Amino acid sequence: MAEAVEMLLGLLSVEEKFEIAVMPKDKLFDLHFGLGLAIRNAFRLHEPGSKLLASCGTSHPNDASSVIISALWRALPTWEP
């Protein structure tokens, strides 16, 4: 999962990282259909036997993308708007 977060950190723009970093934790679900969908597709979380899915501690791709988004959010520095 750490590799997935590192990849996302390299792919996201500074603006996107900022938007996620300042987002309250309880609003991360708002990323489910945008970033979450992109994560599910790009990392193939729907494929049987996905090691990334297993490393997220869940068997459902939606839950795994949420775990990855939360890990990304924690990895970003906290900026004051």
Side-chain angles (χ1 to χ4, degrees), residues 3-78:
E3 288 180 40
V5 170
E6 286 300 316
M7 287 180 69
L8 290 168
L9 288 171
L11 292 171
L12 294 170
S13 70
V14 172
E15 292 83 11
E16 291 167 324
K17 291 176 195 176
F18 178 79
E19 287 179 26
I20 295 167
V22 298
M23 187 175 284
K25 186 176 183 177
D26 65 342
K27 295 292 183 184
L28 292 177
F29 183 77
D30 293 347
L31 301 173
H32 178 76
F33 294 108
L35 181 59
L37 178 62
I39 288 169
R40 291 187 294 279
N41 290 335
F43 293 121
R44 302 179 193 164
L45 294 177
H46 294 285
E47 288 186 6
S50 167
K51 291 180 183 179
L52 178 55
L53 184 68
S55 76
C56 290
T58 182
S59 61
H60 199 282
N62 289 341
D63 295 335
S65 66
S66 293
V67 169
I68 294 167
I69 289 171
S70 292
L72 172 66
W73 180 75
R74 287 189 306 274
L76 291 168
T78 302

